[in-house]
Amino acid sequence: MPLNLSSPFAVRLSVLIVLGLLGACVPESATLRPSTNPQEMAERHEADGRFDRAARTYERLADSATTGSRRDDYLLRASRAWFSHGESIRALGTLRKVRGAYPNDDPIIGILLATDKLVNGEARGALSDLERLRPQVQHPQQPAYLELLARAQAATGDAVGAIQTLTERESRLRRSDDIRQNRTLLWSTLRDLGRKGHPLETPEDADRNLQGWLALARVYRDHRRNRASLALQVREWENEYREHRAAVLTDNLADDEALPSGEQPKSVALLLPMSGRFSGPAMAIRDGFIAAYLSDNDNAQRPQVQLFDTASVPVVEAYETAIRNGAEFVVGPLSKRNVGALIENNAVATTTLALNYLDEGQSVPINFFQFSLAPEHESAAIARHALAEGIMRSVALVPDSALGERLLNSFALAYEAGGGQLLDAGRYTPTDKDFAAPITNLLNLNSSRARHQELSAIVGERLEFEPRRREDAQSIFLVASARQGRLLRPQLNYHYANDLPVISTASIFEDDPNLNRKDLEGVTFADTPWIVSTDDTIVDQREALTRAWPERVKRFGRLYAMGMDAYALLSELHGQQVALNAGFPGLTGRLSLAPGNRITRDLDIAVIRRGRAEYVPPLDEQDSLTESIDLAP
């Protein structure tokens, strides 16, 4: 899911990713003269550019200092040295150990203090401090300073300021790789500001450079979910701004993917069951597809769309009729049985996007793609999230059913592949209301009671007793519907698991604010961007459809999103272009292609707060590493 630079967490993440780049250049080292004085040695290391050695020596001196002021002086020196070595996180950690006042006239210390504010979500305070620091910043620190200033401006929603600051930074860079990285940083900053709905309007006095960056950012903001339309708009921008700095980036606008040719099929057939037990999901997919089609009204290459009812006509007959009528792309069928019928009858004659999965390992034609909202995507995604959060040991509680076993297996596969350990798994009967037996067995409470009874027998009297659950687990992976979850979660709490995080799949959450979900407070789950994303474009689309079909969207919201993604995938898959190589930011997840032409989804993460889904921004390796560092003095 893209970063939200307006949230404190995302500010922290975006700053920490780049902190390793903040620091002065290291000059060539010279030969050290022998010295037995540690302070002299540290100063010589600094003079020769061996900043890491200098920092470690200063830290040892601080540990052995006899006075507080001396200790603080060595810690300040160590902090500056770590910064100059490019270790800004370590510099912050060392700086936080200083017990006295920080110097007011030291630009490096000032930059680190502003960084600390930005890391902690105090963007406006950081911006104020950085603007005050500007006259003190020396030439070697200018690139690092300007980068941090631009990030603070972006964190406050100031796109114009961020462009101007990073343009100034580019003028101070000499290496072509540094210049390219600076432009990439500028673009990613504007892209994320646009995603969150911050203003991208051009001021009246804007120069050509500023006009071009803002115009390109608006193109991406307004067309990023329709790749064909985005390609056309980018070409118009390129004609207008041929010599612009951003021109080198336009081949990689959509999350580092090459833009498609913009070609779409001229005619598309939808094969869906419009009556019978699959009619509700089918109508939601159809309506989502048509909604995406209608919103693509500025695309002159929109295809003609035909609908075929597979509930009234055999699926192979409907498919062959669609081909005779000129369909260049087929979306559907929906049921697994009908998808299998196309393969068994060798009916596939053009690019086809089936809306279900065949059995894994079944061979398919090269132009046949399988798209499903498989819940296994959710269990794998929540497993990866748990690992990113440092949760390495879990237990599971799943329904005693085929679906429960499937989700347990997919969770275990993803979890253990990332180094996690699934300690135990319990099964419950979905129709029950009392789950004491599977819960107590899973949490080893029966063993605790057995030990109490044995001890009571030994001492010959009844001892006071409070059961203890197992302590090796760090979370519970719970597979349940929202109704089952509202019964299971309180019973888990009752059986002493109230301090164990509960992680789950999308089925635990019903997108209906009128339902009482207080019993699910704090449950973390994986779901589609359509349900949990805070992206303004997605929120607007979701609210518009909810106003039009409130009850249907509540029940089938994820399937509406599937229909919209099916339309967006036309230009991705038509003509066998390089399909989803780097992933596609869909409404049902980030879509990519797996073996067997299966389209898989990487999902968003949310936590239930006050009955609503609260989006959880993703962690990456840099953030996980930094979060493990104790910056406390």
Side-chain angles (χ1 to χ4, degrees):
M1 160 93 228
L3 290 180
N4 168 14
L5 291 181
S6 67
S7 73
F9 179 91
V11 168
R12 183 167 73 250
L13 174 59
S14 59
V15 171
L16 295 178
I17 287 173
V18 79
L19 284 179
L21 302 177
L22 302 183
C25 296
V26 180
E28 294 181 1
S29 60
T31 304
L32 282 175
R33 290 178 295 178
S35 173
T36 57
N37 185 316
Q39 181 171 330
E40 285 186 12
M41 289 182 64
E43 290 169 351
R44 290 186 184 281
H45 285 317
E46 278 191 286
D48 291 343
R50 299 172 182 243
F51 295 111
D52 55 337
R53 296 187 181 184
R56 291 189 181 94
T57 305
Y58 283 133
E59 287 180 334
R60 287 195 295 269
L61 287 166
D63 289 340
S64 60
T66 56
T67 66
S69 60
R70 205 71 179 136
R71 176 181 179 276
D72 283 355
D73 179 61
Y74 286 134
L75 287 173
L76 288 168
R77 292 186 182 206
S79 183
R80 295 186 194 98
W82 282 126
F83 178 87
S84 297
H85 186 59
E87 295 272 359
S88 294
I89 290 297
R90 197 157 183 176
L92 270 178
T94 301
L95 185 62
R96 294 286 295 275
K97 297 175 184 177
V98 173
R99 293 171 183 165
Y102 298 129
N104 294 321
D105 57 351
D106 188 314
I108 290 180
I109 300 302
I111 291 172
L112 286 173
L113 291 173
T115 300
D116 202 16
K117 284 188 176 180
L118 197 53
V119 165
N120 287 294
E122 303 172 35
R124 296 198 178 278
L127 183 58
S128 176
D129 290 352
L130 288 167
E131 289 172 342
R132 176 178 51 78
L133 272 174
R134 184 184 280 269
Q136 302 176 41
V137 179
Q138 302 300 310
H139 179 75
Q141 288 87 44
Q142 281 289 334
Y145 165 80
L146 291 170
E147 184 163 357
L148 190 63
L149 177 63
R151 290 184 175 275
Q153 289 166 327
T156 60
D158 182 6
V160 170
I163 294 171
Q164 292 171 333
T165 298
L166 288 175
T167 300
E168 179 184 351
R169 183 177 187 269
E170 180 175 321
S171 70
R172 300 174 189 275
L173 302 174
R174 295 293 175 265
R175 295 175 62 243
S176 59
D177 284 349
D178 293 338
I179 292 171
R180 183 172 60 255
Q181 289 175 5
N182 189 74
R183 292 180 184 179
T184 301
L185 171 62
L186 200 166
W187 169 245
S188 65
T189 299
L190 290 178
R191 181 186 62 194
D192 292 334
L193 285 172
R195 283 172 172 165
K196 293 309 301 172
H198 290 290
L200 296 173
E201 304 311 313
T202 304
E204 291 184 4
D205 59 348
D207 59 21
R208 186 71 172 168
N209 175 65
L210 184 57
Q211 290 173 9
W213 279 114
L214 289 169
L216 185 60
R218 291 194 297 272
V219 164
Y220 182 80
R221 177 194 65 190
D222 297 341
H223 301 277
R224 71 184 188 276
R225 294 203 173 273
N226 187 312
R227 303 293 293 280
S229 177
L230 177 61
L232 296 174
Q233 295 298 321
V234 165
R235 291 191 182 94
E236 289 188 13
W237 182 92
E238 289 172 335
N239 290 334
E240 175 70 19
Y241 295 96
R242 292 181 182 277
E243 304 300 323
H244 196 274
R245 288 181 172 92
V248 296
L249 302 173
T250 54
D251 286 340
N252 301 291
L253 289 191
D255 303 301
D256 298 326
E257 282 186 270
L259 287 166
S261 67
E263 295 181 1
Q264 285 185 313
K266 295 181 175 62
S267 177
V268 174
L270 285 176
L271 270 61
L272 294 168
M274 302 314 296
S275 59
R277 67 189 184 100
F278 294 118
S279 61
M283 285 190 285
I285 292 170
R286 177 202 63 187
D287 292 345
F289 188 95
I290 297 302
Y293 175 89
L294 293 175
S295 67
D296 192 24
N297 55 14
D298 59 349
N299 178 13
Q301 299 184 26
R302 280 195 308 179
Q304 295 180 340
V305 178
Q306 306 174 69
L307 176 64
F308 294 84
D309 182 4
T310 57
S312 59
V313 177
V315 66
V316 173
E317 180 183 336
Y319 189 96
E320 292 173 345
T321 302
I323 297 301
R324 286 197 300 272
N325 288 354
E328 296 180 352
F329 197 114
V330 174
V331 176
L334 178 59
S335 72
K336 183 174 182 176
R337 181 175 61 83
N338 279 346
V339 173
L342 292 185
I343 300 301
E344 291 165 8
N345 288 276
N346 296 316
V348 177
T350 191
T351 306
T352 300
L353 179 63
L355 301 177
N356 211 324
Y357 281 169
L358 296 167
D359 291 335
E360 197 162 359
Q362 189 168 347
S363 61
V364 298
I366 193 172
N367 59 347
F368 186 84
F369 299 90
Q370 306 175 62
F371 182 27
S372 171
L373 302 189
E376 287 90 340
H377 301 156
E378 301 157 15
S379 49
I382 201 64
R384 291 190 291 269
H385 173 75
L387 293 168
E389 291 280 4
I391 297 172
M392 307 305 294
R393 299 182 306 279
S394 294
V395 294
L397 185 59
V398 304
D400 188 7
S401 65
L403 177 62
E405 293 304 310
R406 281 169 46 200
L407 297 187
L408 176 63
N409 290 337
S410 64
F411 175 85
L413 186 64
Y415 195 56
E416 292 173 354
Q421 183 180 5
L422 182 62
L423 302 171
D424 199 359
R427 280 84 173 169
Y428 67 88
T429 302
T431 55
D432 286 351
K433 293 185 179 179
D434 182 354
F435 304 102
I439 289 174
T440 54
N441 286 334
L442 180 65
L443 299 178
N444 285 348
L445 289 170
N446 291 334
S447 298
S448 176
R449 290 191 176 93
R451 289 192 298 271
H452 165 251
Q453 291 169 358
E454 184 178 341
L455 186 58
S456 296
I458 292 172
V459 301
E461 61 181 270
R462 184 172 181 79
L463 302 175
E464 288 194 16
F465 168 68
E466 180 175 315
R468 293 190 175 211
R469 65 161 174 82
R470 66 189 306 157
E471 296 185 354
D472 53 351
Q474 295 175 295
S475 77
I476 300 174
F477 171 57
L478 175 64
V479 175
S481 67
R483 182 189 63 79
Q484 293 161 349
R486 288 193 289 269
L487 295 172
L488 279 159
R489 178 65 187 281
Q491 293 185 47
L492 285 167
N493 293 344
Y494 177 78
H495 288 98
Y496 309 98
N498 54 302
D499 60 334
L500 272 181
V502 175
I503 56 178
S504 189
T505 61
S507 62
I508 200 77
F509 180 76
E510 289 181 312
D511 190 23
D512 186 347
N514 296 318
L515 292 177
N516 178 9
R517 288 194 292 265
K518 66 180 181 180
D519 291 327
L520 297 176
E521 184 75 7
V523 173
T524 302
F525 64 100
D527 207 332
T528 61
W530 176 259
I531 297 295
V532 305
S533 176
T534 56
D535 182 294
D536 281 358
T537 302
I538 297 177
V539 171
D540 289 345
Q541 288 176 314
R542 188 167 66 224
E543 290 178 349
L545 277 179
T546 301
R547 286 192 298 270
W549 302 302
E551 294 305 318
R552 288 161 60 187
V553 171
K554 282 180 188 176
R555 186 179 178 190
F556 296 118
R558 298 174 183 91
L559 291 163
Y560 279 98
M562 187 182 191
M564 287 184 268
D565 276 355
Y567 181 80
L569 288 170
L570 296 180
S571 57
E572 293 292 319
L573 304 177
H574 177 56
Q576 294 299 299
Q577 296 164 0
V578 179
L580 309 178
N581 261 10
F584 176 77
L587 297 173
T588 57
R590 183 162 189 84
L591 309 179
S592 57
L593 207 59
N597 277 358
R598 285 186 169 209
I599 295 173
T600 62
R601 302 177 299 139
D602 192 14
L603 294 157
D604 283 353
I605 305 297
V607 60
I608 299 175
R609 301 286 188 207
R610 296 173 296 278
R612 295 183 179 274
E614 184 176 296
Y615 173 69
V616 177
L619 295 171
D620 70 359
E621 188 174 324
Q622 283 276 352
D623 189 58
S624 298
L625 175 64
T626 306
E627 290 293 314
S628 69
I629 298 174
D630 184 5
L631 298 183

